[in-house]
Amino acid sequence: MNAVVKPRSARLLGSRWLVIAVPYLWLLVFFAIPLAIAFKISFSQAAIAMPPYTPIVNWVDGHPSLDIHLKNYLYLVNDSLYVNAYLSSIKIAVISTILCLLIGYPMAYAIARMPAATRNIALMLVILPSWTSFLIRIYAWIGILKNNGLLNNFLLWTGLIDQPLAIMHTPVAVYIGIVYAYLPFMVLPLYANLVKLDLRLLEAASDLGAKPWKAFLKVTLPLSKSGIIAGSMLVMIPVVGEFVIPEMLGGPDTLMIGRILWQEFFNNRDWPVASAVSIVMLLLLIIPIMIFHRAQSREMEGRLA
Amino acid sequence: MNQSSQKATGSKPDKVKTDNYVRIEGLRKEFDGFVAVDDVSFSIRKGEIFALLGASGCGKSTLLRMLAGFERPTAGSILLDDEDIVGLAPFDRPINMMFQSYALFPHMSVEDNVAFGLKQDGMGKDEIQARVNEMLGLVQMGKLAKRKPHQLSGGQQQRVALARSLAKSPKLLLLDEPMGALDKKLRSQMQIELVNIVERLGVTCVMVTHDQEEAMTMAHRIAVMDAGRIRQLGTPDEIYEQPNCRFTAEFIGSVNLFEGRIEEDEKDYVTIRTPALEKPIYVGHGVTGYDGMSVAFAIRPEKIAISKDEPALSYNKVQGVIEEIAYFGSHSVYHVRLANGSKVLCNFVNLKRWASENFTWNDSVWLSWKDNAGVVLTS
């Protein structure tokens, strides 16, 4: 019997490995190796050289000697600029996530309750803007928000204001840009969750005496928890490292770690500090990612059982 | 269970009130021009189990959803204990429902599910806990109170759903296809258990089912529905033994119909001329009809006797050939082809072992019945 089973399972195993190997190879070449390089650079010293940092392993008389520096990391802790940038990034990410949730939840809820035909159109409208380049869409917001932009001209025309509002280059502009750009990432997982909600559960809640608002709080909201977590993670994680939006819409005082990273790398040409900044950012993001992962695996467990 | 409840309601002084505990008058529901429930009127007695029986699309579920408040009637009124509830939202009605697939809240434990309705009433914590324990004890689910619904079997989920719908002591309990999600063996066991619980609490209960066996086992009275109307309303035995139309006769159980015309219409008997029999059928009860009226004579297969020799009766007998045999162990069903080509079903109870071997395929047999074995259907 073994003789019959073995080749078949071996063949299956082979094809399984092949399927798994392709994405893993991709991740290895374009994610793991660059990350390892950045990690290595974060322990070296800046130098006026090509590449602009000192090597970690020196060969003196055929003997290797290690040259590891922790001062990049100490520098991040000691210089308040970095600590503030991290905190400010996280603050902006958290606030934008909450804003996206507050706007995205009703949107996703409304779409999920639409008749099937209009539902697809509404989903299309959510996705459609991302068919244009991200950069162009953020540029468009400059045209809307600047002092003599669309919004101010419109408000002046209606007579609501007599002085143009200074929105451009303020945190408000950054929030507008972030919420605009990341809203679909909130709406889509929430929609996918809410559309699966068994409406009989709401009928049951109503039948047992719960008014619609109470039924929402006690049934719909807790059952959409995994969608809320998924959407929040999809917004929060990339927003922490966001560079384009604060650079284009924010003022010089908009402190975000993505901008610091850019400045360290391109303006100061301090690759080791830039690498350390990115490694610390990654570590900070791992915490919410792990929470997300735990919530998701718990959800899967519930489904399968 | 039938007799006991009827006796109980009959002996009460305010019989009219208990007889009309739920009063449905001229109830109608249209969906975009399609009439789902068509001017239905009936009353439900206090403490009875009332079944709405019909095929899918007959309007029974719509009727139940109007009672629960999920659908708004196009016209008509629903009075519960002399109070018009049509204008009330589902969460304001003293009515609870056990849903077809139970609709248990998946994120809540068994006890939280049962407590849900009580919490909406703003009941105290200790009081809720006591009531939840009582309810879970009633359905024998006390040990699994901390489990989540997905950790329960279908039968256990149903018990929880029942406990949840009974927890608020509703004036009216609605059961939507209560056994629909259970396998056959568990079903018959749960049917009896559910009836016992409901009767012990004295809850008035309306159930919807497409399964006639379920309706007949569980309900005190049954309303047979078709195309949005009630075709017949009565106790299970009334509906089975005294169908009032061809539809109910054919819907409930199996039946042989002989189409014919009334030949003699007297006070205490009628005779019906039918092409299937040589002599007219003699029926020992009068009908409100006239001579020559087109009617059908309906007779259940178990009320027809089958024999090799010609029976001594002078009427209600016919000869045929056994075409098919269905052997059920306890009884056999013979499909007998008559001379005029029509087919008659006849049950034969296998009283003795191997009794079924008396008849076999292509045997020529006599079928006969007594004058009170069947009914005349005028519609």
Side-chain angles (χ1 to χ4, degrees):
Chain A
M1 191 184 162
N2 268 352
V4 183
V5 172
K6 251 187 185 167
R8 190 163 165 259
S9 65
R11 199 177 59 222
L12 262 177
L13 210 68
S15 52
R16 199 178 300 163
W17 273 108
L18 198 73
V19 169
I20 298 170
V22 173
Y24 270 82
L25 207 66
W26 177 275
L27 285 174
L28 183 75
V29 172
F30 294 105
F31 180 74
I33 292 175
L35 185 70
I37 293 172
F39 191 67
K40 191 199 88 178
I41 296 173
S42 73
F43 290 106
S44 60
Q45 251 181 316
I48 302 173
M50 198 65 180
Y53 55 87
T54 57
I56 277 186
V57 185
N58 281 314
W59 291 89
V60 184
D61 304 331
H63 296 289
S65 75
L66 276 177
D67 183 19
I68 293 176
H69 298 266
L70 289 172
K71 76 169 195 333
N72 299 322
Y73 288 96
L74 291 173
Y75 184 51
L76 293 188
V77 181
N78 292 333
D79 193 329
S80 63
L81 171 75
Y82 299 103
V83 177
N84 287 343
Y86 280 121
L87 291 178
S88 160
S89 289
I90 291 169
K91 190 190 94 183
I92 289 175
V94 168
I95 293 176
S96 328
T97 305
I98 293 169
L99 289 174
C100 277
L101 187 62
L102 289 178
I103 301 168
Y105 200 103
M107 272 176 78
Y109 190 91
I111 296 172
R113 292 289 167 279
M114 281 176 183
T118 37
R119 201 189 285 165
N120 288 336
I121 296 170
L123 272 181
M124 207 60 202
L125 290 175
V126 172
I127 302 165
L128 210 59
S130 42
W131 290 10
T132 326
S133 152
F134 178 71
L135 215 55
I136 289 171
R137 281 182 291 141
I138 300 305
Y139 255 110
W141 275 104
I142 298 178
I144 296 169
L145 297 176
K146 67 183 176 185
N147 279 6
N148 60 347
L150 277 175
L151 181 69
N152 273 317
N153 276 335
F154 175 74
L155 290 176
L156 285 169
W157 175 73
T158 57
L160 280 169
I161 52 167
D162 45 14
Q163 284 281 317
L165 296 173
I167 304 172
M168 237 350 245
H169 306 306
T170 66
V172 176
V174 175
Y175 283 122
I176 291 175
I178 291 176
V179 169
Y180 164 77
Y182 287 94
L183 195 59
F185 297 100
M186 181 63 87
V187 172
L188 293 178
L190 275 175
Y191 163 79
N193 178 288
L194 287 168
V195 80
K196 281 184 301 188
L197 181 76
D198 186 351
L199 294 180
R200 275 170 311 182
L201 294 178
L202 294 182
E203 284 188 347
S206 174
D207 183 68
L208 290 164
K211 295 190 168 61
W213 177 241
K214 201 75 185 291
F216 173 79
L217 283 183
K218 293 286 177 190
V219 178
T220 311
L221 201 58
L223 285 176
S224 60
K225 198 178 79 190
S226 66
I228 294 174
I229 292 174
S232 299
M233 290 301 139
L234 285 179
V235 172
M236 199 153 85
I237 291 165
V239 169
V240 169
E242 182 56 54
F243 164 73
V244 173
I245 296 170
E247 184 68 19
M248 289 171 74
L249 300 179
D253 55 332
T254 311
L255 206 55
M256 283 192 80
I257 203 64
R259 279 177 106 180
I260 301 292
L261 190 63
W262 176 278
Q263 282 163 9
E264 287 300 342
F265 196 81
F266 290 101
N267 300 0
N268 295 352
R269 280 181 61 80
D270 192 339
W271 286 22
V273 168
S275 301
V277 167
S278 66
I279 295 295
V280 170
M281 188 174 86
L282 198 74
L283 291 176
L284 282 177
L285 288 177
I286 278 177
I287 299 163
I289 292 172
M290 274 168 64
I291 295 172
F292 172 52
H293 191 75
R294 275 241 318 260
Q296 216 177 26
S297 56
R298 202 178 309 146
E299 168 100 342
M300 287 299 287
E301 227 170 82
R303 286 272 160 72
L304 291 174
Chain B
M1 31 189 132
N2 288 336
Q3 286 79 2
S4 66
S5 89
Q6 275 162 6
K7 239 180 263 163
T9 50
S11 61
K12 290 216 174 123
D14 45 354
K15 191 173 179 306
V16 180
K17 195 168 184 277
T18 52
D19 271 2
N20 295 301
Y21 187 64
V22 180
R23 214 160 79 230
I24 290 161
E25 276 166 8
L27 200 62
R28 186 178 179 81
K29 178 69 187 176
E30 292 172 19
F31 294 107
D32 303 321
F34 168 75
V35 183
V37 174
D38 193 358
D39 291 314
V40 166
S41 301
F42 63 95
S43 288
I44 297 167
R45 294 186 190 123
K46 190 168 185 164
E48 86 173 328
I49 300 177
F50 190 93
L52 296 167
L53 175 64
S56 63
C58 72
K60 60 187 192 301
S61 293
T62 309
L63 187 49
L64 195 78
R65 290 176 62 80
M66 284 195 280
L67 285 171
F70 301 135
E71 304 285 354
R72 217 166 214 302
T74 312
S77 63
I78 305 168
L79 285 103
L80 173 61
D81 209 3
D82 285 333
E83 187 200 359
D84 193 343
I85 58 165
V86 164
L88 294 181
F91 48 82
D92 285 328
R93 294 188 184 198
I95 296 173
N96 288 130
M97 178 152 158
M98 192 174 98
F99 288 78
Q100 184 173 3
S101 44
Y102 315 136
L104 295 174
F105 303 123
H107 56 301
M108 294 182 199
S109 66
V110 164
E111 55 180 1
D112 285 344
N113 263 286
V114 178
F116 187 89
L118 302 170
K119 281 181 188 161
Q120 307 309 316
D121 289 352
M123 204 187 252
K125 253 193 178 162
D126 297 340
E127 219 178 328
I128 289 180
Q129 192 57 52
R131 182 75 180 151
V132 168
N133 291 344
E134 186 193 339
M135 282 299 123
L136 289 179
L138 190 70
V139 297
Q140 296 164 29
M141 286 292 292
K143 279 184 187 159
L144 304 175
K146 305 283 180 203
R147 292 253 184 115
K148 289 275 180 70
H150 66 79
Q151 295 167 311
L152 302 176
S153 71
Q156 290 168 334
Q157 288 185 18
Q158 196 202 36
R159 287 162 188 271
V160 177
L162 180 64
R164 186 177 72 173
S165 56
L166 286 171
K168 292 182 79 173
S169 313
K171 283 187 165 180
L172 184 64
L173 175 69
L174 307 177
L175 306 173
D176 189 3
E177 300 276 0
M179 307 296 158
L182 299 182
D183 55 61
K184 207 179 169 192
K185 205 166 181 186
L186 195 58
R187 198 178 289 189
S188 51
Q189 179 197 329
M190 279 305 290
Q191 280 168 354
I192 307 235
E193 192 171 332
L194 200 148
V195 169
N196 285 341
I197 290 173
V198 167
E199 285 189 339
R200 200 182 328 157
L201 298 177
V203 189
T204 311
C205 183
V206 177
M207 61 180 276
V208 149
T209 181
H210 67 276
D211 181 344
Q212 44 159 308
E213 251 179 62
E214 189 171 303
M216 293 178 88
T217 320
M218 294 176 68
H220 301 148
R221 285 197 303 158
I222 297 172
V224 181
M225 286 188 73
D226 176 46
R229 290 164 186 264
I230 291 181
R231 300 299 291 262
Q232 188 170 2
L233 197 157
T235 59
D237 46 353
E238 276 168 8
I239 284 184
Y240 186 79
E241 306 288 8
Q242 194 67 254
N244 64 358
C245 59
R246 289 178 178 85
F247 177 82
T248 8
E250 289 189 297
F251 187 74
I252 309 283
S254 51
V255 73
N256 298 299
L257 289 180
F258 296 95
E259 300 289 340
R261 285 178 189 284
I262 295 180
E263 201 169 68
E264 277 178 277
D265 181 15
E266 296 296 326
K267 229 161 104 185
D268 53 351
Y269 75 91
V270 276
T271 57
I272 297 160
R273 168 68 66 187
T274 165
L277 272 71
E278 245 174 81
K279 283 186 181 174
I281 299 171
Y282 179 91
V283 188
H285 66 78
V287 289
T288 45
Y290 48 88
D291 291 358
M293 185 188 189
S294 174
V295 292
F297 175 72
I299 183 162
R300 303 282 182 194
E302 74 275 8
K303 294 183 173 67
I304 298 179
I306 183 167
S307 59
K308 286 250 168 87
D309 310 315
E310 187 172 353
L313 299 163
S314 57
Y315 46 80
N316 292 354
K317 61 180 180 184
V318 65
Q319 208 170 8
V321 175
I322 294 177
E323 208 172 65
E324 274 171 73
I325 302 171
Y327 176 69
F328 289 94
S330 62
H331 68 281
S332 303
V333 178
Y334 298 100
H335 298 235
V336 179
R337 182 72 67 188
L338 304 185
N340 77 326
S342 59
K343 198 157 87 175
V344 175
L345 299 188
C346 163
N347 288 10
F348 180 77
V349 180
N350 297 320
L351 288 173
K352 279 190 278 186
R353 295 169 67 216
W354 315 111
S356 59
E357 289 187 346
N358 287 347
F359 303 101
T360 184
W361 287 271
N362 295 325
D363 274 4
S364 179
V365 289
W366 281 91
L367 302 176
S368 61
W369 56 90
K370 301 209 168 105
D371 57 10
N372 60 358
V375 286
V376 180
L377 304 176
T378 54
S379 64

